[in-house]
Amino acid sequence: MNFLVTGGAGFIGSAVCRHLCANPAYRVTNLDKLTYAGNLASLRPIENVHNYRFAQADICDERAVLDILRRDDIDIVMNLAAESHVDRSIDGPGAFIETNIVGTYKMLNAALEYWRGLPDDRKARFRFHHVSTDEVFGDLPFDGGMFVEETPYAPSSPYSASKAASDHLVRAWHETYGLPVVLSNCSNNYGPYHFPEKLIPLVILNALDERPLPVYGAGANVRDWLFVEDHARALELVATKGHPGESYNVGGNSERTNLAVVETICDLLDTRRPRAGGRRYRELISFVTDRPGHDRRYAIDASKISRELGWTPKENFDSGLARTVDWFLDNKWWWGPIREQRYAGERLGEARKVGA
Ligand code: NAD
Ligand code: DAU
């Protein structure tokens, strides 16, 4: 089985590549543009294995995508390439429209042309798996409710609106042209190789640098956290066993307020890397202006993927967060160059000025 993983140099895509390559029956091509968020160092564990190869390309380049689909005899496309950070989408929505919407459209066009040229048996098993987010559903009240696959779309940010648009395109290519697509909508991931613009890695690294730990608003917003390796297993199942035209919600059943997440990280660091003078990491917590359009709460009902595909997460939030903190303590070779050269942790997304 030959996979094309787009965005495979990113946080989740690299976890998917590492996971798939452990199966010798799979061959994996990672197609990535290598934006600020793409990092080939995240593929170091598999860069020399026989069933992995990398191609630097833009998903907006339909010809390049089609060439790779044909060259590598692809059976399954897993489309993860995207601009993924809500705060950056507030400062500059243009790249989100380009990659997330236009890029998905180009991927669909290339996939359709390729799929139409396949012999019937390969046509039948081909899948276009579009990896999406729970943010397309908008937000939930603090006191109840969960996202199910039928929840109407109501995105709040330029990021989530661009992902919602891409999901609609994927469904349209199924309904109109018969392309065998599957979709998944997942909650917040965390784990090793997480780019330190997102809450959990940002807080870990700021704490190690003795810098303020920025909590938006009162820290009361709730996210449903999933360890990235559990997501990678779910994605393999959706791509290989999901029914064409269907979507699957994926979540960790681990709702936490942002403040609780930050405090837990502080407490883990207190035991693993105590500060000088007996001070606590919690003293670094700093409440800052809220994110514009900040969704209150996300919560995923993952019963469909559990019932139909037999998936459940292996990691709970406490064990997964401890593994994550330990990984960042042990892997400065990975995050040191990012903090020095790509993103040093400054505040993003205050909507003072909207760029391209
Ligand atoms: P990421 O930002 O870490 O990685 C994105 C990758 O896509 C990078 O390697 C980047 O170089 C690549 N890329 C960007 N534009 C490209 C283009 N035009 N052509 C080719 N490659 C391009 O993102 P992530 O957190 O790993 O998210 C991956 C996918 O999963 C996204 O589609 C995102 O919407 C979705 N998702 C993420 C989460 C989460 O919590 N991180 C949760 C649910 C869904
Ligand atoms: O729900 C899935 C989504 O999760 C994915 O689709 C996105 O790609 C991914 O980035 C993530 O989006 P969030 O906006 O929820 O993640 P982020 O880590 O940016 O923020 C998590 C919460 O923490 C959110 O409520 C905002 C808050 N926050 C974030 C940062 C960066 C802070 O309080 N302080 C911060 O410095």
Side-chain angles (χ1 to χ4, degrees), residues 29-339:
T29 301
N30 168 11
L31 182 162
D32 198 294
K33 182 181 175 180
L34 297 181
T35 67
Y36 80 94
N39 192 346
L40 291 180
S42 307
L43 285 316
R44 198 167 285 179
I46 54 167
E47 65 189 0
N48 293 319
V49 301
H50 76 282
N51 57 347
Y52 170 76
R53 73 195 288 187
F54 174 68
Q56 185 167 4
D58 187 334
I59 60 165
C60 296
D61 184 345
E62 195 176 316
R63 173 50 54 187
V65 173
L66 186 56
D67 287 348
I68 290 167
L69 287 167
R70 287 181 174 145
R71 183 196 69 186
D72 293 350
D73 280 330
I74 296 300
D75 302 297
I76 294 182
V77 175
M78 298 173 79
N79 187 36
L80 289 95
E83 291 291 336
S84 70
H85 190 34
V86 172
D87 291 334
R88 287 185 196 268
S89 83
I90 295 167
D91 291 334
F96 291 72
I97 306 304
E98 195 57 35
T99 285
N100 299 1
I101 305 179
V102 179
T104 301
Y105 159 67
K106 300 283 188 179
M107 286 294 303
L108 287 164
N109 268 351
L112 183 62
E113 186 172 343
Y114 171 73
W115 176 71
R116 281 178 165 161
L118 289 175
D120 284 348
D121 57 331
R122 294 200 50 211
K123 221 176 181 168
R125 66 169 197 256
F126 180 84
R127 293 289 180 275
F128 184 99
H129 175 191
H130 184 61
V131 177
S132 192
T133 169
D134 60 357
E135 300 203 11
V136 298
F137 300 123
D139 75 345
L140 293 163
F142 286 119
D143 58 357
M146 293 185 115
F147 297 134
V148 292
E149 283 76 6
E150 295 75 25
T151 301
Y153 277 28
S156 311
S157 70
Y159 162 69
S160 52
S162 69
K163 292 295 292 186
S166 67
D167 291 10
H168 291 318
L169 290 173
V170 171
R171 284 200 179 84
W173 259 242
H174 176 66
E175 297 296 335
T176 306
Y177 306 112
L179 188 69
V181 309
V182 281
L183 293 97
S184 54
N185 295 82
C186 188
S187 61
N188 287 61
N189 285 216
Y190 68 99
Y193 305 100
H194 203 179
F195 193 86
E197 63 190 350
K198 309 283 167 63
L199 178 69
I200 287 178
L202 179 74
V203 163
I204 296 169
L205 299 191
N206 275 14
L208 294 177
D209 280 350
E210 297 277 333
R211 285 166 53 182
L213 312 179
V215 173
Y216 297 170
N221 301 60
V222 173
R223 297 291 182 265
D224 175 1
W225 294 96
L226 178 68
F227 192 66
V228 67
E229 291 172 13
D230 281 323
H231 190 196
R233 285 190 303 108
L235 293 179
E236 179 195 8
L237 280 172
V238 171
T240 57
K241 307 240 167 17
H243 292 288
E246 294 286 315
S247 72
Y248 299 85
N249 281 359
V250 188
N253 208 14
S254 292
E255 288 184 55
R256 297 286 186 284
T257 65
N258 293 336
L259 185 57
V261 169
V262 174
E263 287 177 343
T264 309
I265 293 169
C266 290
D267 297 348
L268 285 164
L269 286 171
D270 281 338
T271 60
R272 286 158 161 79
R273 182 75 59 90
R275 295 177 74 194
R279 287 169 303 157
R280 307 274 316 271
Y281 282 100
R282 287 184 183 216
E283 293 163 31
L284 294 171
I285 292 174
S286 164
F287 294 95
V288 299
T289 48
D290 209 350
R291 170 186 281 174
H294 198 174
D295 285 334
R296 289 164 296 177
R297 174 173 164 258
Y298 303 143
I300 282 276
D301 176 345
S303 53
K304 179 178 175 182
I305 187 171
S306 164
R307 193 176 55 247
E308 295 189 10
L309 304 182
W311 175 86
T312 48
K314 287 184 179 162
E315 211 71 58
N316 64 47
F317 188 66
D318 289 335
S319 63
L321 193 61
R323 274 183 71 182
T324 303
V325 167
D326 288 339
W327 187 87
F328 276 91
L329 286 171
D330 292 343
N331 288 283
K332 188 170 182 187
W333 69 271
W334 183 84
W335 55 261
I338 296 176
R339 290 273 281 192

